[in-house]
Coordinates of all heavy atoms in Angstrom, one line a residue:
M1 N 17.5 20.2 -5.9 CA 16.8 19.2 -6.6 C 17.5 19.0 -7.9 O 17.6 20.0 -8.7 CB 15.3 19.5 -6.8 CG 14.4 18.4 -7.3 SD 14.4 16.9 -6.2 CE 13.4 17.5 -4.9
S2 N 17.9 17.8 -8.3 CA 18.5 17.6 -9.6 C 17.6 17.7 -10.7 O 16.3 17.7 -10.6 CB 19.2 16.2 -9.5 OG 18.2 15.2 -9.3
T3 N 18.0 17.8 -11.9 CA 17.3 17.9 -13.2 C 16.6 16.6 -13.3 O 17.1 15.5 -13.1 CB 18.2 18.2 -14.4 OG1 19.0 19.3 -14.0 CG2 17.4 18.4 -15.6
W4 N 15.4 16.7 -13.8 CA 14.6 15.5 -14.2 C 15.1 14.7 -15.3 O 15.4 15.5 -16.4 CB 13.1 15.8 -14.3 CG 12.4 16.1 -13.1 CD1 13.0 16.6 -11.9 CD2 11.0 16.3 -12.9 NE1 12.0 16.9 -11.0 CE2 10.8 16.7 -11.5 CE3 9.9 16.0 -13.7 CZ2 9.4 16.9 -10.9 CZ3 8.7 16.3 -13.2 CH2 8.4 16.7 -11.8
P5 N 15.2 13.4 -15.3 CA 15.6 12.7 -16.5 C 14.6 13.0 -17.7 O 13.4 13.2 -17.5 CB 15.5 11.3 -16.1 CG 15.6 11.3 -14.5 CD 14.9 12.5 -14.2
T6 N 15.1 12.7 -18.9 CA 14.3 12.9 -20.0 C 13.1 12.0 -20.0 O 13.3 10.8 -19.6 CB 15.1 12.5 -21.3 OG1 16.2 13.3 -21.4 CG2 14.3 12.6 -22.6
G7 N 11.9 12.5 -20.3 CA 10.7 11.7 -20.3 C 10.0 11.6 -19.0 O 8.9 11.1 -18.9
T8 N 10.7 12.1 -17.9 CA 10.0 12.1 -16.6 C 8.9 13.1 -16.6 O 9.0 14.3 -16.8 CB 11.0 12.4 -15.5 OG1 12.1 11.4 -15.5 CG2 10.3 12.4 -14.2
V9 N 7.7 12.6 -16.2 CA 6.5 13.3 -16.1 C 6.0 13.8 -14.7 O 5.1 14.5 -14.5 CB 5.3 12.7 -17.0 CG1 5.7 12.7 -18.5 CG2 5.0 11.4 -16.5
A10 N 6.6 13.0 -13.8 CA 6.2 13.3 -12.4 C 7.2 12.7 -11.5 O 7.9 11.8 -11.7 CB 4.8 12.6 -12.1
R11 N 7.2 13.4 -10.2 CA 8.2 12.8 -9.3 C 7.5 13.0 -7.9 O 7.0 14.0 -7.6 CB 9.5 13.8 -9.3 CG 10.5 13.4 -8.3 CD 11.8 14.1 -8.6 NE 12.6 13.4 -9.5 CZ 13.8 13.7 -9.9 NH1 14.4 14.8 -9.5 NH2 14.5 12.9 -10.7
Y12 N 7.7 12.0 -7.1 CA 7.0 11.9 -5.8 C 8.1 11.8 -4.7 O 9.0 10.9 -4.9 CB 6.0 10.8 -5.7 CG 4.9 10.9 -6.6 CD1 5.0 10.5 -7.9 CD2 3.7 11.4 -6.1 CE1 4.0 10.7 -8.9 CE2 2.6 11.5 -7.1 CZ 2.7 11.2 -8.3 OH 1.6 11.3 -9.3
L13 N 8.0 12.5 -3.7 CA 8.9 12.4 -2.6 C 8.5 11.3 -1.6 O 7.3 11.4 -1.2 CB 8.9 13.7 -1.8 CG 9.9 13.8 -0.6 CD1 11.4 13.7 -1.1 CD2 9.8 15.2 0.1
T14 N 9.3 10.4 -1.3 CA 8.9 9.3 -0.4 C 9.1 9.8 1.0 O 9.8 10.7 1.3 CB 9.8 8.0 -0.6 OG1 11.1 8.3 -0.1 CG2 9.8 7.6 -2.1
V15 N 8.6 9.0 2.0 CA 8.8 9.3 3.5 C 10.1 9.1 3.9 O 10.6 9.6 4.9 CB 7.7 8.5 4.3 CG1 6.3 9.0 4.2 CG2 7.9 7.0 4.1
G16 N 11.0 8.3 3.1 CA 12.3 8.2 3.3 C 13.3 9.1 2.6 O 14.4 9.0 2.6
T17 N 12.6 10.2 2.0 CA 13.3 11.3 1.4 C 13.9 11.0 0.0 O 14.8 11.7 -0.5 CB 14.3 12.0 2.3 OG1 15.6 11.2 2.4 CG2 13.8 12.4 3.6
A18 N 13.6 9.7 -0.5 CA 14.0 9.4 -1.8 C 12.9 9.9 -2.8 O 11.9 10.5 -2.4 CB 14.1 7.9 -2.0
T19 N 13.1 9.8 -4.1 CA 12.0 10.2 -5.0 C 11.6 9.0 -5.8 O 12.5 8.0 -6.2 CB 12.6 11.3 -5.9 OG1 13.7 10.9 -6.7 CG2 12.7 12.6 -5.1
V20 N 10.4 9.0 -6.2 CA 9.9 8.0 -7.2 C 9.6 8.7 -8.5 O 8.8 9.7 -8.5 CB 8.5 7.4 -6.7 CG1 8.1 6.4 -7.8 CG2 8.7 6.7 -5.4
D21 N 10.3 8.5 -9.5 CA 10.1 9.1 -10.9 C 9.2 8.4 -11.8 O 9.2 7.1 -11.9 CB 11.4 9.3 -11.5 CG 12.3 10.3 -11.0 OD1 11.9 11.0 -10.1 OD2 13.5 10.4 -11.5
V22 N 8.2 9.0 -12.3 CA 7.3 8.5 -13.3 C 7.8 8.9 -14.7 O 7.8 10.2 -15.0 CB 5.9 8.9 -13.1 CG1 4.9 8.4 -14.1 CG2 5.4 8.4 -11.7
T23 N 8.2 8.0 -15.6 CA 8.9 8.4 -16.9 C 8.1 7.6 -18.0 O 7.8 6.5 -17.9 CB 10.3 7.9 -16.8 OG1 10.9 8.5 -15.7 CG2 11.0 8.4 -18.0
E24 N 7.8 8.4 -19.0 CA 7.3 7.7 -20.3 C 8.5 7.4 -21.1 O 9.4 8.1 -21.5 CB 6.4 8.8 -21.0 CG 5.1 9.0 -20.1 CD 4.2 10.0 -20.8 OE1 4.6 10.7 -21.6 OE2 3.0 10.0 -20.3
V25 N 8.5 6.0 -21.4 CA 9.8 5.4 -22.0 C 9.5 4.8 -23.4 O 8.5 4.2 -23.6 CB 10.2 4.3 -21.0 CG1 11.5 3.5 -21.6 CG2 10.5 4.8 -19.7
A26 N 10.4 5.2 -24.3 CA 10.5 4.5 -25.6 C 11.1 3.1 -25.4 O 12.4 3.0 -25.4 CB 11.2 5.4 -26.6
A27 N 10.4 2.2 -25.2 CA 10.9 0.8 -24.9 C 11.4 0.0 -26.0 O 12.2 -0.8 -25.9 CB 9.8 -0.1 -24.1
Y28 N 10.9 0.3 -27.2 CA 11.4 -0.3 -28.4 C 12.0 0.6 -29.4 O 11.4 1.5 -29.8 CB 10.1 -0.9 -29.1 CG 9.2 -1.7 -28.2 CD1 7.9 -1.3 -27.9 CD2 9.6 -2.9 -27.5 CE1 7.1 -2.0 -27.1 CE2 8.8 -3.6 -26.7 CZ 7.5 -3.2 -26.4 OH 6.7 -3.8 -25.6
P29 N 13.2 0.2 -29.7 CA 14.0 1.0 -30.7 C 13.3 1.2 -32.0 O 13.5 2.3 -32.7 CB 15.4 0.3 -30.8 CG 15.5 -0.6 -29.6 CD 14.1 -1.0 -29.2
S30 N 12.6 0.2 -32.4 CA 11.9 0.4 -33.8 C 10.7 1.0 -33.7 O 10.0 1.2 -34.8 CB 11.8 -1.2 -34.2 OG 10.8 -1.8 -33.4
V31 N 10.2 1.6 -32.6 CA 8.9 2.3 -32.5 C 9.3 3.6 -32.0 O 9.9 3.9 -31.1 CB 8.0 1.6 -31.4 CG1 6.8 2.4 -31.2 CG2 7.8 0.1 -31.8
E32 N 8.7 4.6 -32.9 CA 8.8 6.0 -32.5 C 8.1 6.4 -31.3 O 6.8 6.1 -31.2 CB 8.6 6.9 -33.6 CG 8.9 8.4 -33.5 CD 8.7 9.2 -34.8 OE1 8.5 8.6 -35.9 OE2 8.6 10.4 -34.6
G33 N 8.6 7.1 -30.3 CA 7.9 7.6 -29.3 C 7.7 6.6 -28.1 O 8.0 5.5 -28.2
P34 N 7.2 7.2 -26.9 CA 7.1 6.2 -25.7 C 6.0 5.2 -26.0 O 5.0 5.4 -26.7 CB 6.8 7.1 -24.7 CG 6.3 8.4 -25.3 CD 6.9 8.4 -26.7
T35 N 6.2 4.0 -25.3 CA 5.2 2.9 -25.4 C 4.9 2.3 -24.1 O 4.1 1.4 -23.9 CB 5.7 1.7 -26.3 OG1 7.1 1.4 -25.8 CG2 5.9 2.2 -27.8
E36 N 5.5 2.8 -23.0 CA 5.2 2.4 -21.7 C 5.5 3.5 -20.7 O 6.4 4.4 -21.0 CB 5.9 1.2 -21.4 CG 7.3 1.3 -21.2 CD 8.1 -0.1 -20.9 OE1 7.6 -1.1 -21.4 OE2 9.1 0.0 -20.3
T37 N 4.9 3.4 -19.5 CA 5.2 4.3 -18.4 C 5.8 3.5 -17.2 O 5.3 2.5 -16.9 CB 3.9 5.1 -18.0 OG1 3.2 5.6 -19.0 CG2 4.3 6.2 -16.9
V38 N 6.9 4.0 -16.8 CA 7.7 3.3 -15.7 C 7.7 4.2 -14.5 O 8.1 5.4 -14.6 CB 9.1 3.0 -16.2 CG1 9.9 2.3 -15.1 CG2 9.0 2.1 -17.4
A39 N 7.4 3.7 -13.3 CA 7.6 4.4 -12.1 C 8.8 3.6 -11.4 O 8.8 2.5 -11.2 CB 6.4 4.4 -11.1
L40 N 9.8 4.4 -11.0 CA 11.0 3.8 -10.4 C 11.3 4.5 -9.1 O 11.5 5.7 -9.1 CB 12.2 3.9 -11.4 CG 13.6 3.4 -10.8 CD1 13.4 1.9 -10.6 CD2 14.6 3.7 -11.9
C41 N 11.4 3.8 -8.0 CA 11.8 4.4 -6.8 C 13.3 4.4 -6.6 O 13.9 3.5 -6.7 CB 11.2 3.5 -5.6 SG 11.6 4.1 -4.0
G42 N 13.8 5.6 -6.3 CA 15.2 5.8 -6.2 C 15.7 5.3 -4.7 O 16.9 5.4 -4.4
G43 N 14.8 5.1 -3.9 CA 15.2 4.5 -2.5 C 15.4 3.0 -2.5 O 16.5 2.6 -2.4
C44 N 14.3 2.3 -2.8 CA 14.4 0.8 -2.7 C 14.7 0.2 -4.0 O 15.0 -1.0 -4.1 CB 13.2 0.3 -2.1 SG 11.7 0.4 -3.1
G45 N 14.5 0.9 -5.2 CA 14.7 0.4 -6.5 C 13.4 -0.3 -7.1 O 13.5 -0.9 -8.2
E46 N 12.3 -0.4 -6.3 CA 11.2 -1.1 -6.8 C 10.7 -0.3 -8.1 O 10.8 0.9 -8.2 CB 10.1 -1.1 -5.8 CG 8.9 -2.1 -6.2 CD 7.9 -2.3 -5.0 OE1 8.2 -2.0 -3.8 OE2 6.9 -2.7 -5.4
R47 N 10.3 -1.2 -9.1 CA 9.9 -0.6 -10.4 C 8.5 -1.1 -10.8 O 8.2 -2.3 -10.5 CB 11.0 -1.2 -11.3 CG 11.0 -0.6 -12.7 CD 12.3 -1.0 -13.4 NE 12.4 -0.5 -14.8 CZ 11.9 -1.1 -15.8 NH1 11.4 -2.3 -15.7 NH2 12.1 -0.5 -17.1
H48 N 7.7 -0.2 -11.4 CA 6.4 -0.6 -11.8 C 6.2 -0.1 -13.1 O 6.5 1.1 -13.5 CB 5.4 0.1 -10.9 CG 4.0 0.0 -11.2 ND1 3.3 -1.1 -10.8 CD2 3.1 0.8 -11.8 CE1 2.0 -1.0 -11.2 NE2 1.9 0.1 -11.9
V49 N 5.8 -1.0 -14.1 CA 5.7 -0.7 -15.5 C 4.3 -0.9 -16.0 O 3.6 -1.9 -15.7 CB 6.6 -1.7 -16.4 CG1 6.5 -1.3 -17.8 CG2 8.1 -1.5 -15.9
R50 N 3.8 0.1 -16.7 CA 2.5 0.0 -17.3 C 2.7 0.2 -18.9 O 3.2 1.2 -19.3 CB 1.6 1.1 -16.9 CG 1.3 1.1 -15.4 CD -0.2 0.9 -15.1 NE -0.5 0.7 -13.7 CZ -1.7 0.7 -13.3 NH1 -2.8 0.8 -14.1 NH2 -1.9 0.5 -12.0
D51 N 2.3 -1.0 -19.5 CA 2.5 -0.9 -21.0 C 1.4 -0.2 -21.7 O 0.3 -0.2 -21.2 CB 2.6 -2.4 -21.4 CG 3.1 -2.5 -22.9 OD1 4.3 -2.5 -23.1 OD2 2.2 -2.4 -23.8
W52 N 1.6 0.6 -22.8 CA 0.7 1.3 -23.5 C -0.2 0.5 -24.4 O -1.1 0.9 -25.0 CB 1.2 2.4 -24.2 CG 1.8 3.6 -23.4 CD1 2.0 3.5 -21.9 CD2 2.1 4.9 -23.7 NE1 2.6 4.6 -21.5 CE2 2.6 5.5 -22.5 CE3 2.1 5.6 -24.9 CZ2 3.1 6.8 -22.6 CZ3 2.5 6.9 -24.9 CH2 3.0 7.5 -23.8
G53 N 0.3 -0.8 -24.7 CA -0.4 -1.7 -25.6 C 0.0 -1.7 -27.0 O -0.7 -2.1 -27.8
F54 N 1.3 -1.3 -27.1 CA 1.8 -1.4 -28.6 C 1.7 -2.8 -29.1 O 2.1 -3.8 -28.4 CB 3.1 -0.9 -28.7 CG 3.7 -0.8 -30.1 CD1 3.4 0.4 -30.8 CD2 4.3 -1.8 -30.7 CE1 3.8 0.6 -32.2 CE2 4.7 -1.7 -32.1 CZ 4.4 -0.4 -32.8
D55 N 1.2 -3.1 -30.2 CA 1.0 -4.4 -30.8 C 1.9 -4.5 -32.1 O 1.6 -3.9 -33.1 CB -0.5 -4.5 -31.1 CG -0.8 -6.0 -31.7 OD1 0.1 -6.7 -32.2 OD2 -1.9 -6.4 -31.4
F56 N 2.9 -5.3 -31.9 CA 3.8 -5.5 -33.1 C 3.1 -6.2 -34.3 O 3.4 -5.9 -35.4 CB 5.1 -6.3 -32.7 CG 6.1 -5.4 -31.9 CD1 5.9 -5.3 -30.5 CD2 7.0 -4.6 -32.6 CE1 6.9 -4.5 -29.8 CE2 7.8 -3.9 -31.9 CZ 7.8 -3.7 -30.6
E57 N 2.3 -7.3 -34.0 CA 1.6 -7.9 -35.1 C 0.7 -7.0 -35.8 O 0.7 -7.0 -37.0 CB 0.8 -9.1 -34.4 CG 1.7 -10.2 -33.9 CD 1.0 -11.4 -33.4 OE1 -0.3 -11.3 -33.5 OE2 1.7 -12.3 -32.8
A58 N 0.0 -6.1 -35.1 CA -0.8 -5.1 -35.8 C 0.0 -4.1 -36.6 O -0.3 -3.8 -37.7 CB -1.6 -4.3 -34.8
R59 N 1.1 -3.8 -36.1 CA 2.0 -2.9 -36.9 C 2.4 -3.6 -38.1 O 2.5 -3.0 -39.3 CB 3.3 -2.5 -36.1 CG 4.2 -1.5 -36.9 CD 5.5 -1.5 -36.3 NE 6.3 -2.7 -36.2 CZ 7.5 -2.8 -35.7 NH1 8.0 -1.8 -35.2 NH2 8.1 -4.0 -35.7
D60 N 2.8 -4.9 -38.0 CA 3.3 -5.6 -39.2 C 2.2 -5.8 -40.1 O 2.5 -6.0 -41.4 CB 3.9 -6.9 -38.7 CG 5.1 -6.8 -37.9 OD1 5.8 -5.7 -38.0 OD2 5.6 -7.8 -37.2
R61 N 1.0 -5.7 -39.7 CA -0.2 -5.8 -40.7 C -0.5 -4.4 -41.3 O -1.4 -4.3 -42.0 CB -1.5 -6.3 -40.0 CG -1.5 -7.8 -39.6 CD -2.8 -8.2 -39.2 NE -3.4 -7.5 -38.0 CZ -3.2 -7.9 -36.8 NH1 -2.5 -9.0 -36.5 NH2 -3.7 -7.2 -35.8
G62 N 0.2 -3.4 -40.8 CA 0.1 -2.1 -41.4 C -0.9 -1.3 -40.7 O -1.3 -0.2 -41.1
E63 N -1.4 -1.8 -39.5 CA -2.5 -0.9 -38.7 C -1.8 0.3 -38.1 O -0.8 0.2 -37.5 CB -3.2 -1.9 -37.8 CG -4.0 -3.0 -38.4 CD -4.6 -3.9 -37.4 OE1 -4.6 -3.5 -36.2 OE2 -4.9 -5.0 -37.8
D64 N -2.7 1.3 -38.0 CA -2.3 2.4 -37.3 C -2.4 2.2 -35.8 O -3.3 1.7 -35.4 CB -3.2 3.6 -37.7 CG -2.8 4.9 -36.9 OD1 -1.8 5.1 -36.4 OD2 -3.8 5.8 -36.9
Q65 N -1.2 2.6 -35.1 CA -1.1 2.2 -33.7 C -1.7 3.4 -32.8 O -1.7 3.2 -31.6 CB 0.3 1.9 -33.4 CG 0.8 0.7 -34.0 CD 0.2 -0.6 -33.2 OE1 0.5 -0.8 -32.1 NE2 -0.3 -1.4 -34.0
S66 N -2.0 4.5 -33.4 CA -2.1 5.7 -32.6 C -3.4 5.5 -31.7 O -3.4 6.0 -30.6 CB -2.3 6.9 -33.5 OG -3.3 6.7 -34.5
E67 N -4.4 4.9 -32.2 CA -5.5 4.7 -31.5 C -5.3 3.6 -30.3 O -5.8 3.9 -29.2 CB -6.7 4.1 -32.3 CG -7.3 5.1 -33.2 CD -8.0 6.3 -32.5 OE1 -8.8 6.1 -31.6 OE2 -7.8 7.5 -32.9
R68 N -4.6 2.7 -30.7 CA -4.3 1.5 -29.8 C -3.4 2.0 -28.5 O -3.6 1.5 -27.5 CB -3.6 0.4 -30.5 CG -3.4 -0.8 -29.7 CD -2.5 -1.9 -30.5 NE -3.2 -2.2 -31.7 CZ -4.1 -3.3 -31.8 NH1 -4.4 -4.0 -30.7 NH2 -4.6 -3.6 -32.8
L69 N -2.5 3.0 -28.9 CA -1.5 3.3 -27.8 C -2.2 4.1 -26.7 O -1.7 5.1 -26.3 CB -0.4 4.1 -28.5 CG 0.7 3.2 -29.1 CD1 1.6 4.1 -29.8 CD2 1.3 2.3 -28.0
D70 N -3.2 3.6 -26.1 CA -3.7 4.2 -24.8 C -3.9 5.7 -24.7 O -3.4 6.3 -23.8 CB -2.8 3.6 -23.7 CG -3.3 4.0 -22.4 OD1 -4.6 4.1 -22.3 OD2 -2.5 3.9 -21.4
S71 N -4.3 6.3 -25.9 CA -4.5 7.8 -26.0 C -3.2 8.5 -25.5 O -3.2 9.3 -24.6 CB -5.6 8.2 -25.1 OG -6.8 7.6 -25.5
G72 N -2.1 8.0 -26.0 CA -0.8 8.7 -25.7 C -0.4 8.4 -24.3 O 0.4 9.1 -23.6
G73 N -0.8 7.2 -23.7 CA -0.3 6.8 -22.4 C -1.1 7.3 -21.3 O -0.7 7.2 -20.2
A74 N -2.3 8.0 -21.6 CA -3.0 8.7 -20.5 C -3.3 7.7 -19.4 O -3.2 8.0 -18.2 CB -4.2 9.3 -21.1
G75 N -3.9 6.5 -19.7 CA -4.3 5.6 -18.7 C -3.1 4.9 -18.0 O -3.2 4.8 -16.8
A76 N -2.2 4.6 -18.8 CA -0.9 4.0 -18.2 C -0.2 5.0 -17.4 O 0.2 4.6 -16.2 CB 0.0 3.6 -19.3
T77 N -0.1 6.2 -17.6 CA 0.6 7.2 -16.8 C -0.1 7.5 -15.6 O 0.4 7.6 -14.5 CB 0.9 8.5 -17.7 OG1 1.8 8.2 -18.8 CG2 1.6 9.5 -16.8
A78 N -1.5 7.6 -15.8 CA -2.4 7.9 -14.5 C -2.1 6.8 -13.6 O -2.0 7.0 -12.3 CB -3.7 8.0 -14.9
G79 N -2.1 5.5 -14.0 CA -1.9 4.4 -13.2 C -0.6 4.3 -12.6 O -0.4 4.0 -11.5
A80 N 0.5 4.7 -13.3 CA 1.8 4.7 -12.8 C 1.9 5.8 -11.7 O 2.7 5.7 -10.7 CB 2.8 4.9 -13.9
R81 N 1.3 6.9 -11.9 CA 1.3 8.0 -10.9 C 0.6 7.6 -9.7 O 1.0 7.8 -8.5 CB 0.6 9.2 -11.4 CG 1.3 9.9 -12.5 CD 0.5 11.2 -13.1 NE 0.6 12.2 -12.2 CZ 1.2 13.4 -12.5 NH1 1.6 13.7 -13.6 NH2 1.3 14.4 -11.5
R82 N -0.5 6.8 -9.7 CA -1.2 6.3 -8.6 C -0.3 5.4 -7.8 O -0.2 5.4 -6.6 CB -2.5 5.5 -8.9 CG -3.6 6.5 -9.3 CD -5.0 5.7 -9.2 NE -5.0 4.7 -10.3 CZ -5.3 4.8 -11.6 NH1 -5.6 6.1 -12.0 NH2 -5.3 3.8 -12.4
W83 N 0.4 4.5 -8.6 CA 1.4 3.5 -7.9 C 2.5 4.3 -7.2 O 2.8 4.1 -6.0 CB 1.9 2.6 -9.0 CG 2.9 1.5 -8.4 CD1 2.5 0.4 -7.8 CD2 4.2 1.8 -8.0 NE1 3.7 -0.3 -7.3 CE2 4.7 0.5 -7.4 CE3 5.2 2.7 -8.3 CZ2 6.1 0.4 -7.0 CZ3 6.5 2.6 -7.9 CH2 6.9 1.4 -7.3
A84 N 2.9 5.3 -7.9 CA 4.1 6.1 -7.3 C 3.7 6.9 -6.0 O 4.4 6.9 -5.1 CB 4.6 7.1 -8.3
Q85 N 2.4 7.4 -6.1 CA 2.0 8.1 -4.9 C 1.8 7.2 -3.7 O 2.3 7.4 -2.5 CB 0.6 8.7 -5.2 CG -0.1 9.3 -4.0 CD 0.5 10.6 -3.6 OE1 0.8 11.5 -4.4 NE2 0.6 10.8 -2.3
S86 N 1.2 6.0 -4.0 CA 1.0 5.0 -3.0 C 2.4 4.5 -2.4 O 2.5 4.3 -1.2 CB 0.2 3.9 -3.5 OG 0.2 2.8 -2.6
H87 N 3.3 4.2 -3.3 CA 4.6 3.7 -2.9 C 5.3 4.8 -2.1 O 5.9 4.5 -1.0 CB 5.4 3.3 -4.0 CG 6.7 2.7 -3.8 ND1 6.9 1.5 -3.4 CD2 8.0 3.3 -3.6 CE1 8.2 1.2 -3.1 NE2 8.9 2.3 -3.3
A88 N 5.3 6.0 -2.5 CA 6.0 7.2 -1.9 C 5.5 7.2 -0.4 O 6.3 7.7 0.5 CB 5.9 8.4 -2.6
E89 N 4.2 7.0 -0.2 CA 3.7 7.2 1.1 C 4.1 6.1 2.1 O 4.1 6.3 3.3 CB 2.2 7.1 1.1 CG 1.5 8.3 0.5 CD -0.1 8.1 0.1 OE1 -0.5 7.0 0.4 OE2 -0.6 9.0 -0.5
R90 N 4.8 5.0 1.7 CA 5.2 3.9 2.6 C 6.6 3.5 2.5 O 7.1 2.7 3.4 CB 4.2 2.8 2.6 CG 4.2 2.1 1.2 CD 3.1 1.0 1.0 NE 2.8 0.7 -0.4 CZ 3.7 0.0 -1.1 NH1 4.8 -0.5 -0.6 NH2 3.4 -0.3 -2.4
C91 N 7.3 3.9 1.5 CA 8.7 3.5 1.3 C 9.7 4.4 2.2 O 9.7 5.6 2.1 CB 9.1 3.7 -0.2 SG 10.8 3.1 -0.4
R92 N 10.4 3.5 3.0 CA 11.2 4.3 4.0 C 12.7 4.0 3.6 O 13.6 4.3 4.3 CB 11.0 3.9 5.4 CG 9.6 4.2 5.9 CD 9.4 4.1 7.3 NE 8.1 4.6 7.7 CZ 8.0 5.9 8.1 NH1 8.9 6.7 8.2 NH2 6.7 6.2 8.4
A93 N 12.9 3.5 2.4 CA 14.5 3.3 2.0 C 15.0 4.6 1.7 O 14.4 5.5 1.0 CB 14.4 2.5 0.7
L94 N 16.3 4.8 2.1 CA 17.0 6.1 1.9 C 17.6 6.0 0.5 O 18.1 5.0 0.0 CB 18.1 6.3 2.9 CG 17.6 6.6 4.3 CD1 18.8 6.5 5.3 CD2 17.0 8.0 4.4
P95 N 17.7 7.1 -0.1 CA 18.4 7.1 -1.5 C 19.8 6.9 -1.2 O 20.4 7.3 -0.2 CB 18.2 8.7 -1.9 CG 17.7 9.5 -0.8 CD 17.2 8.4 0.2
K96 N 20.4 6.1 -2.2 CA 21.9 5.8 -2.1 C 22.6 7.1 -2.3 O 22.4 7.8 -3.4 CB 22.2 4.7 -3.2 CG 23.6 4.2 -3.0 CD 23.8 3.0 -4.0 CE 25.3 2.5 -3.9 NZ 25.4 1.5 -5.1
P97 N 23.6 7.4 -1.5 CA 24.4 8.7 -1.7 C 25.2 8.4 -3.0 O 25.8 7.4 -3.3 CB 25.4 8.7 -0.5 CG 24.8 7.7 0.4 CD 24.0 6.7 -0.2
E98 N 25.3 9.6 -3.7 CA 26.0 9.7 -5.0 C 27.5 9.9 -4.6 O 27.8 10.6 -3.6 CB 25.5 10.8 -5.9 CG 24.2 10.4 -6.6 CD 23.6 11.6 -7.3 OE1 24.4 12.4 -7.8 OE2 22.4 11.7 -7.3
A99 N 28.3 9.4 -5.4 CA 29.9 9.6 -5.2 C 30.2 11.1 -5.1 O 29.7 11.9 -6.0 CB 30.6 8.9 -6.2
G100 N 31.0 11.4 -4.2 CA 31.4 12.8 -4.1 C 30.6 13.7 -3.2 O 30.9 14.8 -3.0
R101 N 29.5 13.2 -2.7 CA 28.7 13.9 -1.9 C 29.0 13.9 -0.4 O 29.4 12.8 0.0 CB 27.2 13.5 -2.0 CG 26.6 14.4 -3.1 CD 25.0 14.4 -2.8 NE 24.2 14.6 -3.9 CZ 22.9 14.2 -4.0 NH1 22.3 13.8 -2.9 NH2 22.3 14.4 -5.1
Ligands
LIG1 ZN1 10.8 2.5 -2.5

């Protein structure tokens, strides 16, 4: 099993032997830390994104975002994990072979 990518918090094995990675992603260069959770299937490439609710207008007003950010993504990550589990149970796409294997 290969090393998990940075920010990956969960990995699900699909029925097609690919993996679905759930990753907390820093989507905005101007924002410190992750702001969304992404589930990505390595078999079929289907992608599911859950935004943590970062609000640029609120930031520009000087409001603290820590409360708004979905308690550190707890809800978004839980939702992405549910999606990944469900997707892994039915995705039969094979992972694309890597060069040299
Ligand atoms: Zn898939």
Side-chain angles (χ1 to χ4, degrees):
M1 189 67 68
S2 60
T3 306
W4 288 14
T6 303
T8 298
V9 294
R11 176 171 275 183
Y12 294 81
L13 180 66
T14 72
V15 290
T17 71
T19 54
V20 181
D21 283 357
V22 176
T23 306
E24 293 181 342
V25 178
Y28 310 115
S30 63
V31 179
E32 189 177 339
T35 54
E36 66 185 30
T37 306
V38 178
L40 177 64
C41 179
C44 70
E46 194 171 341
R47 193 168 179 269
H48 177 82
V49 179
R50 296 245 176 169
D51 193 89
W52 294 14
F54 190 86
D55 186 333
F56 283 92
E57 290 180 4
R59 181 194 62 179
D60 292 346
R61 288 194 301 269
E63 292 176 20
D64 180 18
Q65 294 283 303
S66 56
E67 289 295 314
R68 185 187 300 274
L69 276 173
D70 189 19
S71 305
T77 296
R81 290 180 76 122
R82 283 194 300 275
W83 182 89
Q85 172 74 43
S86 169
H87 184 83
E89 287 171 0
R90 60 188 164 76
C91 182
R92 295 189 174 274
L94 289 171
K96 188 177 178 184
E98 288 173 28
R101 268 208 210 160

